[in-house]
Amino acid sequence: MEYRFPEGFVWGAATAALQVEGALDADGRGPSVWDVFCREHPERIFGGVTPAVACDHYHRFAEDVRLMKEFGLTGYRLSIAWPRLFPTGDGPLNEAGAAFYHRLFDALTAAGIEPHVTLFHWDLPQALAERGGWENPATVAAFVAYAQTCFRLFGDRVRRWATFNEPSWMILNGWLTGLHPPAWRDPAAAVRVSTAVLGAHARAVRAFREGGHLGAIGIVLNLSPVYPATERPEDATAAQRADGILNRWFRRPVLHGSFPEDIWALYEDCRIAPALTPDDRQALAEARPDFLGVNYYYPHHAVADAAETSFHLNITGDRREDCVFALAGLFRFVKNPTGRYTDWGWEIYPEGLYDLLKNINEERPDLPLFVTENGIGLADRVVDGRVDDQARIAFVREHLQAVHRAIAAGVPVRGYFLWSLLDNFSWLNGYRKRYGLFFVDRLTLRRIPKASAFWYREVARANGF
Ligand code: BG6
């Protein structure tokens, strides 16, 4: 075997509540911002679809856990839907919603699959959004209370907690590009929300420690390395800025409890620097994570000449459409002329994952890392009852090779969670962009293992390939 992984390496797959559960009105669940956004703006979602059914995992979780076991997974990353436990975000616990997660964690425990649980994967209770969302300190308090409830209810079976999934991507799209709810384009608000969310993360970590709960707590960050597109010094500066705004602004407070000085100064110049309370600073300084979850899909290549601010995300899977991301006067991302791209315009660059893991390790040498998401969206099709997704196998193999290289270089990477277990509701991309090990038939919701599922099972069993 050429690539043997360390003993106990977690072979997992990941999902998120809103993307797989469906059953949005079942058993007293309250609406989330995404339920409302999809209902009110079908024109913004490919195919005008909604997450109302998704994979119906809410009713089919037992079958899904059986499949995980049969296909050799040792870990499952999922998120809890806050509005299932607290339909309006705070107030009394919805016991029926909690009962679903009791059933799910019992099934995972019985199957010997370790749950890695994210508390917040973007499905903010709508009622909290209507009261000011993350900018209202009451939302932060409600999040901490919700987190404490989860630790108390599920802590006997869950020992791996992540507070937030990808705050950077959520805030970037919610408050800057306007693509995700609440669909604002307001840089000052984006910065305010970023510190509120990071403060909520820190306070949830504090609550976990003060509660004396067993296990580990961390956060999941989306970290796309940013490379200068040319050797021009101005492009190097642009890359550093982009990296600062998108990555370091989130990574530094999480790893070191303080904000990057260059970006703080930039926000001061733009008069959008946030106001932090002494308790914000203290909570962040104390909230050292036990591990970091890294989501990696693609890198960026930056140039300095950005005359205007513009954003475009390819949600059609039409190769002729390019993704656009430019912030006037700061940076613009360009395509890599020699790069390989998916149909949705995301570059395939496994080396980026190696660079990322290495860099984080240099910054925090002993911090255990998990690749909490990595995968490729394809327009998979069933032919003669089978899904032959060789492109996914190649993608995962190359990225696992990068992980293996990082481990060999001394980086403590403890597990890999493929995005995703199931073809699911891919946010703005609707259902056409498929990521699963298991194909989900949209009419019958039948699960069909793809070629990648059989391949991944062998890798998990052999602990390498
Ligand atoms: C990550 C998210 O940003 O990327 C997942 O945590 C998401 O929820 C995944 O599905 C892939 O992105 P997309 O938009 O192609 O579904």
Side-chain angles (χ1 to χ4, degrees):
M1 191 161 43
E2 217 179 324
Y3 300 94
R4 186 184 295 281
F5 283 73
E7 188 86 8
F9 189 81
V10 180
W11 295 100
T15 64
L18 189 96
Q19 297 181 269
V20 295
E21 287 181 1
L24 300 184
D25 302 322
D27 300 327
R29 178 187 179 279
S32 82
V33 291
W34 271 93
D35 310 17
V36 176
F37 181 75
C38 296
R39 209 168 48 228
E40 290 182 354
H41 295 288
E43 76 289 354
R44 300 205 188 176
I45 317 278
F46 183 76
V49 294
T50 76
V53 175
C55 308
D56 196 29
H57 178 70
Y58 189 77
H59 297 112
R60 294 166 196 250
F61 74 91
E63 177 191 352
D64 293 335
V65 172
R66 243 188 344 266
L67 288 173
M68 289 181 224
K69 185 174 165 67
E70 195 182 319
F71 280 80
L73 300 191
T74 56
Y76 175 46
R77 174 172 177 248
L78 66 132
S79 76
I80 293 178
W82 181 356
R84 263 196 214 291
L85 263 50
F86 295 98
T88 56
D90 50 14
L93 173 71
N94 173 31
E95 299 283 354
F100 166 68
Y101 294 104
H102 280 302
R103 293 194 293 274
L104 177 57
F105 294 133
D106 284 347
L108 288 166
T109 307
I113 297 165
E114 187 183 32
H116 285 233
V117 175
T118 303
L119 292 166
F120 186 79
H121 200 125
W122 309 350
D123 43 3
L124 182 70
Q126 173 69 13
L128 291 180
E130 286 169 11
R131 287 191 266 144
W134 289 109
E135 291 199 61
N136 182 349
T139 298
V140 174
F143 174 74
V144 176
Y146 153 66
Q148 283 170 314
T149 304
C150 293
F151 303 149
R152 178 173 56 77
L153 292 179
F154 311 123
D156 55 341
R157 286 148 294 165
V158 178
R159 293 294 160 83
R160 291 265 165 204
W161 298 96
T163 53
F164 283 82
N165 177 70
E166 300 193 350
S168 172
W169 185 247
M170 172 184 86
I171 293 163
L172 171 77
N173 284 310
W175 285 268
L176 197 62
T177 69
L179 292 172
H180 287 188
W184 290 13
R185 287 181 167 221
D186 180 344
V191 174
R192 288 197 303 271
V193 171
S194 71
T195 49
V197 164
L198 287 163
H201 153 76
R203 289 177 176 87
V205 172
R206 179 193 273 170
F208 183 79
R209 307 256 187 257
E210 285 177 357
H213 300 285
L214 296 177
I217 190 161
I219 188 169
V220 170
L221 300 181
N222 57 299
L223 296 167
S224 286
V226 186
Y227 305 103
T230 73
E231 286 178 0
R232 287 193 305 239
E234 60 268 36
D235 291 344
T237 306
Q240 212 191 344
R241 272 204 187 129
D243 182 51
I245 292 170
L246 301 177
N247 299 324
R248 285 185 289 117
W249 184 257
F250 296 88
R251 169 170 150 178
R252 203 177 156 81
V254 162
L255 297 185
H256 302 284
S258 60
F259 287 87
E261 282 160 25
D262 56 336
I263 304 303
W264 190 281
L266 174 71
Y267 290 165
E268 268 180 345
D269 286 350
C270 302
R271 298 174 181 282
I272 59 171
L276 293 179
T277 65
D279 192 55
D280 288 333
R281 289 184 192 280
Q282 199 186 336
L284 276 170
E286 288 168 3
R288 295 299 161 94
D290 297 314
F291 66 90
L292 182 68
V294 176
N295 288 0
Y296 172 74
Y297 288 89
Y298 52 79
H300 290 300
H301 306 275
V303 295
D305 67 313
E308 56 179 33
T309 293
S310 58
F311 311 108
H312 178 73
L313 194 65
N314 171 349
I315 61 167
T316 62
D318 180 338
R319 276 190 168 269
R320 289 165 301 184
E321 231 185 274
D322 286 335
C323 297
V324 176
F325 191 123
L327 282 180
L330 294 176
F331 64 86
R332 176 165 63 91
F333 292 143
V334 295
K335 266 185 112 165
N336 173 2
T338 58
R340 294 178 285 155
Y341 283 82
T342 72
D343 288 349
W344 278 263
W346 290 13
E347 186 180 359
I348 301 171
Y349 188 65
E351 198 62 22
L353 180 54
Y354 174 81
D355 288 350
L356 203 54
L357 296 169
K358 245 339 238 150
N359 286 341
I360 299 168
N361 182 247
E362 272 157 25
E363 208 176 313
R364 281 290 306 275
D366 299 321
L367 187 67
L369 306 179
F370 287 88
V371 177
T372 32
E373 280 183 40
N374 176 237
I376 182 169
L378 299 168
D380 295 309
R381 289 218 317 267
V382 183
V383 179
D384 296 333
R386 297 178 40 208
V387 182
D388 194 19
D389 57 340
Q390 293 301 324
R392 179 166 294 106
I393 294 176
F395 180 98
V396 178
R397 184 201 296 274
E398 287 182 40
H399 285 78
L400 282 173
Q401 285 167 351
V403 173
H404 190 271
R405 261 185 70 210
I407 294 172
V411 184
V413 187
R414 303 284 193 238
Y416 176 90
F417 293 82
L418 178 69
W419 186 267
S420 175
L421 178 71
L422 302 164
D423 291 344
N424 58 48
F425 177 73
S426 197
W427 310 107
L428 304 181
N429 311 290
Y431 292 105
R432 180 153 188 267
K433 193 180 191 188
R434 293 173 177 270
Y435 281 96
L437 286 171
F438 295 89
F439 184 93
V440 176
D441 183 305
R442 290 303 323 146
L443 290 178
T444 62
L445 300 176
R446 202 176 125 221
R447 280 74 163 134
I448 302 170
K450 301 180 189 176
S452 57
F454 293 102
W455 177 81
Y456 199 58
R457 171 161 71 184
E458 292 316 305
V459 174
R461 278 191 183 154
N463 202 29
F465 55 98

